[in-house]
Amino acid sequence: MRRLLWEKTSYFLVPNGLAYKAFAGSISVNGFHYSNSRLGRGAKAERNTGIVQARRKETWYSHSMQRGKLILFFSLAILVAALWSILEVPEKYFPEQIQESVIFPHNSEIDAVKDPEDLSKKGIRLLDGNVPAQDEVLLQEDLGRAFIASMDGSIWILDLKKNQAEPFVRTPLLPGGMVAHPKDPDRIYFCVSRGKKEDPVDPNGPGIYELRVSTKSVRKIATFVPKVPDRLGNTISSYGKFYPNSKQVTLRFSEMNGENSRRVEKADDLAISRDGERIYFTEPYDHPGAILGVSTQSRNEALTLGKNGNIWKIDLKAGTVSLVAHKYSYVDGILLEYANNSDQETSILVNELSRFRLLRLYLSGDKAGEDEIVIDGLPGFPDGMDRDPSGRIWIALVIERSKLVTWLHAHPFWKHLVLYIPERIQPVSRRTALLILSPDGKTPLYYGVHNGSLFSSLIVVIPGKERIYLAVYEKDHKGLHIMPYPI
């Protein structure tokens, strides 16, 4: 009985540990007195053992938590470092110039004239396999030759009888658009621009140059343009700032200095008047260090819809440069229009590449100073532009407009993220196309698409007498392609 009472008391007192102080001293059982000192020592020992074990567990959990936090921290650090090594930091002005939401239309009239067959089924063939990627082809078929602006920094000459090409002359920077003087085929005017931001611009920077074919000599025409005044007169144009002949800011070459003029940043395409006295050229954007061609920089400019495009006029006879238009979006291909048989141009056709449309700017006449959309909702980015002997307009659509691009323009917040994603890991389409329009530019006549199996980045389509020439601006591309007229 005593044993049972002691065991019950021990069971009550000892395992509980917390009750030790309450029963320290002695215990009476059936009239007998028992000292609790022995019981206290046992309980205290067990309690101390429990505390040590609890502390050990607490320390173990604490160390485990610290190790977990360290592992998480270093994992995140490694992830951030890996992402940072992949991401590209855009130039500061691109995030700042992102425009508001724009819903770009879809042109069903172009769909109606789309060729169901790929352009590769239309007889495309390689004319010369040695020519590096091209920005322009200038035909002089009556003389049996053509000139090719190449990505290797040279103008090549093509023998149209032998279908063989060879380097002809080196240019100061990368050559771009080219035109021949309408009254003297020995004089060719061409654009040059940087191929890389760090390309030297002294003494011969981006701008317009002249090539004398007979002597292979290159002469600088204009590499500086007037600075745009902070305040200019009001314009009646709707899509940018356009100045007709009577309101253009003009500066003589001889009067240019560091205060009233600046360097041309990027000369892309050009057109020359019928009398050979005036050259108009496009500067798609005027950011410092602008480079020629299809690049991350040009992609960012197109994505953000920056309004940094300019059109300039060089008067060769007067020795002046005039501002024709600015604050347009990525102006590129350019053509001049005339009234009847006049030598005086009355309007300009220009592609706004990033906005998928063709504009007309009226230089003179009843609509002088106005601009208008000729055709909108193009299915790709319109680049180079030319006319065939019938007056029809041929436009190269360098890259197909994807649904993703259209969605991003409608949701511009996400452009801030896309700007950091390198082009090499973006889902960029290889599909490229050509579009034929009526002489007034309003009616689609033919739309042909190439899936990219032969080449991508068709930059300009040049119609000849019996065939068309396809200039391809793709890195590491070799060869000049031709094809029969599709219509």
Side-chain angles (χ1 to χ4, degrees), residues 42 60 85 130 197 217 219 229 242 279 290 338 358 428 484:
W60 184 84
S85 66
N130 296 317
K197 286 191 67 174
S217 59
R219 179 172 70 96
F242 167 56
I279 294 173
Y338 301 84
L358 174 64
V428 179

Side-chain angles (χ1 to χ4, degrees), residues 13 62 96 99 203 230 253 273 285 343 454:
L13 290 174
S62 176
E96 295 172 355
Q99 303 293 304
D230 293 333
F253 292 131
S273 60
Y285 48 93
D343 281 344
L454 299 177

Side-chain angles (χ1 to χ4, degrees), residues 2 4 68 94 115 147 171 174 200 215-216 232 236 266 287 295 303-304 316 342 401 410 428 454 473:
R2 292 176 183 172
L4 288 176
F94 290 128
D115 195 325
F147 294 93
T171 56
L174 289 188
T215 61
K216 291 189 175 182
L232 283 175
I236 60 174
K266 180 179 181 178
H287 300 309
S295 65
L303 177 67
T304 56
L316 297 171
S342 172
R401 172 162 60 120
V428 179
L454 299 177
Y473 202 92

Side-chain angles (χ1 to χ4, degrees), residues 259-304:
E259 295 182 358
N260 61 19
S261 61
R262 66 164 176 86
R263 291 186 182 276
V264 175
E265 293 296 341
K266 180 179 181 178
D268 197 287
D269 203 0
L270 77 171
I272 191 167
S273 60
R274 282 178 175 175
D275 58 12
E277 294 184 0
R278 292 167 301 284
I279 294 173
Y280 295 77
F281 73 93
T282 56
E283 189 179 32
Y285 48 93
D286 53 15
H287 300 309
I291 61 177
L292 184 68
V294 182
S295 65
T296 298
Q297 187 187 77
S298 62
R299 178 208 68 171
N300 289 346
E301 181 69 16
L303 177 67
T304 56

Side-chain angles (χ1 to χ4, degrees), residues 90-100 287 300-301 304-308 412 415-416 419-420:
E91 292 159 288
K92 64 179 181 179
Y93 31 78
F94 290 128
E96 295 172 355
Q97 69 185 30
I98 292 175
Q99 303 293 304
E100 296 180 355
H287 300 309
N300 289 346
E301 181 69 16
T304 56
L305 299 178
K307 296 176 74 66
N308 306 297
K415 294 181 182 181
H416 293 275
L419 284 174
Y420 286 84

Side-chain angles (χ1 to χ4, degrees), residues 454-480:
L454 299 177
F455 52 78
S456 64
S457 302
L458 182 61
I459 207 85
V460 64
V461 181
I462 307 93
K465 292 181 177 179
E466 297 179 352
R467 60 191 183 187
I468 63 174
Y469 296 76
L470 308 175
V472 175
Y473 202 92
E474 180 183 2
K475 185 179 179 181
D476 300 326
H477 178 79
K478 286 277 190 177
L480 177 64

